[in-house]
Amino acid sequence: MAFRRKLSRGKLLGFLASQPECTVAMEACASAHYWGREIAALGHEVRLVPPIYVKPFVKRHKNDVPDAEAISEAAQRPTMHFVAVKTEAQQTQGMLFRTRDLLVRQRMQTINALRGHLAEYGVVAPQGRARIRQLVGVLEDGDSGLPEAVVELGGLLLGRIDELDEKIYGLDREIRASAREDEETARLMTIPGIGPVTAMAIQAFAPPMESFRRGRDFSAWLGLVPRQHTTGGEPRLGKISKMGQRDLRRLLVTGATAVVQHASRRGAITDPWLSGMLARKPKKLVAVALANKTARTVWALATKKEVYRVRAAA
């Protein structure tokens, strides 16, 4: 080790600018991508190490010095996997997706709050955003028997739901417009179960597909492969590992579930693989398996620059 020095945030770039070109290792976090871009602009090589891979190298107590030593040690491992530094465009797309996701959660929370409050007065409506209009009719009915304050507060919640709907629809329009303009997202949207939101999320959160050797590596990064507990050459596979990017995993499983439900209702499935899986396995298991298959297809289309082609039945 050449030296140890503690620097404030404002002096970091000035210090690195005075140093010869070297490798700068950091723990991957929310602000690491900004610092990675700034440090790379100075001519240094930036390596972002996932926190889960740094933890085994931390000695005893946790403070800044052992953490820095652990990051340095982990970054020098020959088999270490690093996080790709995101561009400003990727971070912008990620913020767009997460803002929409936050508004969707707030809308669902408001809907559930309205359903719960009115259920205390004997007004019950089925679950789901589409059924909320049944409650609108009850609140607007002057003979509903509800207290005036309840009607007023219910209208306040309905106004909040309409406000969130408008904001979500505006973000959806922006996402669809951006997806149509980008060649890569347009290619991904040819895959069944992937729409504009999922395609944009893949562009925002996934590292370059060229960093994965094969499609299974990308699927493993998403946590869609079975967790292994193999010993003595005897394979033992469990449930999916659920490691990696959970937003992408959730979107892929949701899209695959929609494909499975649509195929089950139609009764005529063109994909022989999906037809065989549905004949042998439960639908939920098939949906996760299809999400795994979709992730591998994403890697193939992104690396080969092709569009999705439906596999013909034998």
Side-chain angles (χ1 to χ4, degrees), residues 259-270 275 278:
V259 172
V260 170
Q261 291 177 346
H262 180 67
S264 302
R265 286 196 299 266
R266 288 181 56 188
I269 306 174
T270 57
S275 176
L278 286 174

Side-chain angles (χ1 to χ4, degrees), residues 86-105:
K86 294 182 180 179
T87 64
E88 287 187 355
Q90 285 180 305
Q91 288 190 291
T92 302
Q93 291 176 351
M95 183 176 179
L96 174 61
F97 169 80
R98 294 194 185 281
T99 301
R100 179 190 179 277
D101 199 43
L102 174 63
L103 295 179
V104 170
R105 292 199 306 269

Side-chain angles (χ1 to χ4, degrees), residues 158-194:
L158 286 175
R160 178 60 177 166
I161 294 171
D162 292 338
E163 179 184 351
L164 290 171
D165 276 339
E166 183 178 354
K167 292 180 179 179
I168 292 170
Y169 291 152
L171 293 178
D172 284 342
R173 288 193 297 268
E174 184 176 347
I175 290 175
R176 286 194 295 269
S178 300
R180 286 193 298 266
E181 295 174 358
D182 187 80
E183 179 181 356
E184 188 66 28
T185 53
R187 184 184 297 113
L188 294 179
M189 284 192 296
T190 61
I191 305 174
I194 293 186

Side-chain angles (χ1 to χ4, degrees), residues 295-314:
R296 301 183 185 212
T297 304
V298 168
W299 176 87
L301 297 191
T303 54
K304 298 179 182 179
K305 307 300 180 183
E306 297 180 358
V307 297
Y308 180 79
R309 295 189 299 270
V310 180
R311 180 183 175 188

Side-chain angles (χ1 to χ4, degrees), residues 9-237:
R9 186 181 292 106
K11 296 180 180 179
L12 177 61
L13 293 179
F15 171 78
L16 292 176
S18 64
Q19 300 298 315
E21 293 185 3
C22 60
T23 300
V24 179
M26 297 184 293
E27 195 173 53
C29 62
S31 60
H33 297 280
Y34 164 77
W35 289 109
R37 291 193 300 268
E38 295 294 323
I39 294 172
L42 300 175
H44 301 298
E45 179 187 357
V46 178
R47 293 183 178 180
L48 302 183
V49 187
I52 192 173
Y53 295 153
V54 175
K55 187 176 180 180
F57 296 95
V58 177
K59 299 174 184 177
R60 292 182 177 271
H61 304 289
K62 185 186 185 310
N63 55 58
D64 291 342
V65 174
D67 283 352
E69 292 179 352
I71 294 171
S72 176
E73 185 69 25
Q76 298 179 61
R77 297 300 91 196
T79 58
M80 181 58 61
H81 296 284
F82 300 104
V83 177
V85 178
K86 294 182 180 179
T87 64
E88 287 187 355
Q90 285 180 305
Q91 288 190 291
T92 302
Q93 291 176 351
M95 183 176 179
L96 174 61
F97 169 80
R98 294 194 185 281
T99 301
R100 179 190 179 277
D101 199 43
L102 174 63
L103 295 179
V104 170
R105 292 199 306 269
Q106 290 178 347
R107 179 177 64 183
M108 186 54 62
Q109 290 170 356
T110 308
I111 291 174
N112 290 337
L114 179 61
R115 289 182 61 254
H117 288 312
L118 293 184
E120 297 179 357
Y121 293 90
V123 180
V124 180
Q127 295 184 8
R129 184 171 60 90
R131 307 297 181 86
I132 196 65
R133 294 306 163 193
Q134 296 183 15
L135 300 179
V136 176
V138 174
L139 291 174
E140 293 178 351
D141 185 6
D143 300 328
S144 61
L146 293 174
E148 183 179 352
V150 172
V151 174
E152 183 178 351
L153 293 173
L156 180 64
L157 292 176
L158 286 175
R160 178 60 177 166
I161 294 171
D162 292 338
E163 179 184 351
L164 290 171
D165 276 339
E166 183 178 354
K167 292 180 179 179
I168 292 170
Y169 291 152
L171 293 178
D172 284 342
R173 288 193 297 268
E174 184 176 347
I175 290 175
R176 286 194 295 269
S178 300
R180 286 193 298 266
E181 295 174 358
D182 187 80
E183 179 181 356
E184 188 66 28
T185 53
R187 184 184 297 113
L188 294 179
M189 284 192 296
T190 61
I191 305 174
I194 293 186
V197 174
T198 305
M200 290 289 290
I202 292 174
Q203 290 288 89
F205 299 126
M209 293 298 165
E210 293 76 15
S211 61
F212 300 102
R213 292 181 299 172
R214 54 186 181 271
R216 189 189 183 282
D217 292 345
F218 176 56
S219 182
W221 180 80
L222 291 170
L224 286 170
V225 298
R227 181 186 294 275
Q228 293 194 33
H229 189 70
T230 300
T231 182
E234 181 181 353
R236 298 178 182 177
L237 302 179

Side-chain angles (χ1 to χ4, degrees), residues 264-285:
S264 302
R265 286 196 299 266
R266 288 181 56 188
I269 306 174
T270 57
D271 188 350
W273 178 88
L274 182 57
S275 176
M277 287 289 290
L278 286 174
R280 304 190 308 271
K281 303 291 184 180
K283 291 182 181 179
K284 290 185 178 180
L285 189 149

